[in-house]
Amino acid sequence: MISKQTKKALRNWEPINERIITARFYSSIKKSITIVQCYAPTEDADDTTKDTFYNELTAVMNKVPQSDVLILSGDFNAKIGANNDDAKNIMGKHGMGSRNDNGELFVGFCQEFNLVIGGSLFPHKDIHKYTWTSPNGYTKNQIDHICIRQRWKSSLIDVRTKRGADIDSDHELVLALIKLKLNKLYKQHNKQATTKRYDLKMLSSEWKKKDIADSMREMLSADQRIGWEETCKSINNIAEANLGYANKNERKIWISDNTWNLIQRRNILKVQSNVDNGLRAEYRAIAKAVKRSARADKRKYLESLADEAEKAAGSNNMRQLFQIIGRLGKQNFNQNKPIMDINGQLLTSTEQQTQRWKDHFETTSNINPNEESEVATGNTYQSPSATEAINIDPPCVDEIATAIKAMKRNKAPGDDGIPSEILQVDPLVSAEILLPFIVETWQQEQLPESWKTGIIIKLPKMAT
């Protein structure tokens, strides 16, 4: 679970098992950042379970390139203590409590891979060190850790817990400040066509449509002949100036004021319960009340969407109906699921998945020109009559305008970023703009390079 901004730097990720997951990011220091997140067995687990976990974690760590900035974090159920006499190279004197068996295993593991335990390096009060509180509110331990490869120890600025983070857990949020920057991975494609969509609702205004048509006429009346790329850019500039972009992140607030009041009360009690253990029972009660109230608000919101869908179906507004169904059906739906290669191995990096899709479509879509078509060789093939007249003249303006009018609306634009609704504002003017390019292609029998580009969109299906 990462932010949208961080996702742009994500190189690949791999779920090892139910206890270990890794993620690799691009960074601005020309080094990749590898994060290994763990959930270790508890202190009461048997030795076999613990050995199995650390053997699997060792195999994962050995695969991380030595040049990567390696960060190991998670719930290790390990108390490392404040005594660092036997491990001064990998921990400081600011640990908490006394070391247990899990702590011995964890410290030994960190020594093997030259990892520095960040929570022991910085002087903080105990309330900013402990990461777990027992249900009775009296036992507090430091068992969650963030470690970094010793080579990058100077990049670690601070590690401490944030007790104010209301995560409704007996664990506290552990925060590490690291002086590193992630680097966005830029993709070579038309960003405008994939990330922004024009606010086509503005086309319901007649004066907006008139402004667009007038601008396209001025573009057509210009004496200079421009290429296809410049023409697409000019049309997009006209659409942007007159329509603007739709708000993709527009959401309907469904949490009620009563729920927000309960959340605020829960936040206050969380802070107070860290000081007064007698308030922990009241905090747990208010936390349950928040969940009940939020569920009721969500149920009410979904019922309102169902009513809107029923009204849309009654008025035969199929587009609005399917939009609502999509909103109802995409709750907790991950569209970035990994795929398998031809051997059944999991592919999680963008490069691997892109190559797999490329190989798939090269196999299924390409036709060998040396093989005769089944249609051509079958009995259903009908050759044209020798006397039948075939019109080989280029399309005229009226034919192009008719084709523009027949284009479907509310469809995603292609690589040029021009939706069909823009061309349909004035089909005749649009046809006159497109005519020279279509005639040139017709006569030379060569497509512009941009016309050969195809965009493959994954349409994941929800498991039933």
Side-chain angles (χ1 to χ4, degrees):
M1 185 179 294
I2 57 178
S3 66
K4 291 183 178 179
Q5 187 66 25
T6 307
K7 181 182 177 182
K8 297 175 183 177
L10 181 62
R11 187 167 182 173
N12 63 280
W13 62 276
E14 183 179 2
I16 307 301
N17 52 42
E18 68 275 7
R19 291 188 178 274
I20 305 173
I21 187 171
T22 67
R24 200 163 183 234
F25 299 88
Y26 292 95
S27 75
S28 60
I29 59 174
K30 308 301 181 183
K31 303 286 185 182
S32 294
I33 300 174
T34 297
I35 299 177
V36 181
Q37 181 73 19
C38 306
Y39 176 58
T42 62
E43 179 72 7
D44 297 332
D46 57 82
D47 293 340
T48 303
T49 303
K50 295 179 182 179
D51 292 340
T52 301
F53 167 76
Y54 277 101
N55 288 337
E56 293 173 344
L57 185 57
T58 299
V60 172
M61 300 288 282
N62 287 330
K63 293 180 181 179
V64 179
Q66 289 296 321
S67 59
D68 279 17
V69 180
L70 174 61
I71 299 173
L72 176 67
S73 62
D75 178 8
F76 290 91
N77 286 295
K79 296 191 290 183
I80 60 174
N83 186 1
N84 69 337
D85 292 340
D86 59 341
K88 292 182 179 180
N89 59 325
I90 59 102
M91 63 177 289
K93 297 181 179 180
H94 303 288
M96 183 180 176
S98 57
R99 194 178 301 175
N100 61 1
D101 291 339
N102 271 0
E104 294 289 350
L105 290 172
F106 179 61
V107 170
F109 180 84
C110 291
Q111 287 179 321
E112 179 182 354
F113 287 95
N114 293 321
L115 299 174
V116 178
I117 305 175
S120 65
L121 299 178
F122 305 98
H124 289 296
K125 296 179 180 180
D126 285 349
I127 59 174
H128 297 149
K129 292 181 182 179
Y130 71 82
T131 65
W132 174 80
T133 304
S134 63
N136 60 21
Y138 292 99
T139 305
K140 302 178 186 296
N141 289 321
Q142 184 187 37
I143 61 175
D144 302 88
H145 302 281
I146 297 178
C147 309
I148 193 169
R149 192 169 268 167
Q150 197 166 24
R151 176 185 175 188
W152 303 98
K153 176 181 176 181
S154 59
S155 298
L156 195 62
I157 299 175
D158 190 20
V159 176
R160 56 164 291 180
T161 59
K162 290 289 185 178
R163 297 181 302 129
D166 188 7
I167 55 177
D168 194 19
S169 171
D170 53 2
H171 288 260
E172 306 292 346
L173 182 67
V174 184
L175 180 68
L177 296 181
I178 302 174
K179 190 169 55 177
L180 293 172
K181 292 183 179 180
L182 298 177
N183 190 26
K184 178 180 177 181
L185 174 62
Y186 290 93
K187 297 180 180 180
Q188 299 297 324
H189 56 67
N190 188 344
K191 183 178 179 181
Q192 177 179 329
T194 56
T195 60
K196 293 183 178 180
R197 301 191 68 174
Y198 299 118
D199 189 3
L200 299 178
K201 294 179 182 178
M202 299 292 290
L203 289 176
S204 59
S205 173
E206 292 297 329
W207 62 272
K208 280 289 184 183
K209 295 171 66 174
K210 183 178 182 301
D211 289 344
I212 294 175
D214 292 341
S215 299
M216 294 183 69
R217 290 192 187 96
E218 293 177 4
M219 172 184 165
L220 181 62
S221 61
D223 295 334
Q224 60 179 357
R225 172 69 187 278
I226 58 177
W228 173 249
E229 300 295 336
E230 291 78 8
T231 300
C232 293
K233 186 176 180 180
S234 299
I235 296 176
N236 279 313
N237 289 338
I238 293 172
E240 180 181 1
N242 289 276
L243 301 180
Y245 294 105
N247 184 8
K248 292 171 56 178
N249 298 322
E250 184 178 0
R251 292 184 178 183
K252 186 173 181 179
I253 303 299
W254 54 268
I255 300 180
S256 65
D257 293 338
N258 179 55
T259 303
W260 281 120
N261 292 334
L262 290 173
I263 292 173
Q264 293 174 2
R265 176 60 179 162
R266 183 185 64 179
N267 295 343
I268 295 173
L269 282 174
K270 178 174 177 60
V271 176
Q272 294 176 346
S273 63
N274 288 326
V275 181
D276 184 359
N277 290 329
L279 295 175
R280 295 189 68 85
E282 185 178 355
Y283 167 75
R284 287 194 291 267
I286 199 71
K288 292 180 180 179
V290 168
K291 293 180 180 179
R292 286 195 299 269
S293 181
R295 283 196 294 266
D297 292 342
K298 190 63 174 289
R299 190 181 304 110
K300 184 177 180 181
Y301 168 66
L302 295 178
E303 289 175 355
S304 66
L305 284 181
D307 292 338
E308 293 179 13
E310 186 176 2
K311 292 179 182 178
S315 59
N316 202 28
N317 189 346
M318 293 295 104
R319 182 167 181 263
Q320 183 182 2
L321 174 62
F322 283 107
Q323 284 179 342
I324 296 174
I325 292 175
R327 290 165 64 185
L328 290 171
K330 286 191 290 188
Q331 311 294 328
N332 303 322
F333 180 46
N334 179 19
Q335 297 189 7
N336 193 30
K337 294 183 178 180
I339 60 176
M340 303 287 185
D341 64 8
I342 194 171
N343 298 320
Q345 299 296 320
L346 196 66
L347 303 178
T348 56
S349 69
T350 304
E351 295 86 350
Q352 292 174 333
Q353 293 186 6
T354 302
Q355 184 62 40
R356 178 70 184 103
W357 283 113
K358 180 181 177 182
D359 295 342
H360 169 74
F361 283 103
E362 283 181 347
T363 303
T364 58
S365 301
N366 289 347
I367 300 176
N368 190 344
N370 297 325
E371 296 180 0
E372 294 183 356
S373 171
E374 295 180 1
V375 177
T377 56
N379 296 328
T380 59
Y381 179 76
Q382 299 292 333
S383 60
S385 172
T387 59
E388 182 178 352
I390 300 176
N391 185 4
I392 59 173
D393 295 331
C396 62
V397 173
D398 292 337
E399 291 174 324
I400 298 175
T402 301
I404 291 175
K405 293 177 183 177
M407 293 173 65
K408 293 184 178 181
R409 303 170 68 88
N410 301 313
K411 299 294 182 181
D415 192 53
D416 53 26
I418 304 174
S420 59
E421 289 84 348
I422 301 298
L423 300 177
Q424 291 174 343
V425 169
D426 193 328
L428 285 176
V429 175
S430 300
E432 292 181 10
I433 294 174
L434 298 177
L435 179 63
F437 303 103
I438 295 177
V439 171
E440 181 180 357
T441 302
W442 186 281
Q443 294 174 347
Q444 297 182 1
E445 298 183 357
Q446 290 184 353
L447 294 174
E449 287 300 322
S450 59
W451 290 16
K452 300 177 184 179
T453 302
I455 302 177
I456 299 174
I457 304 297
K458 293 190 299 182
L459 298 177
K461 296 182 179 180
M462 184 180 296
T464 56

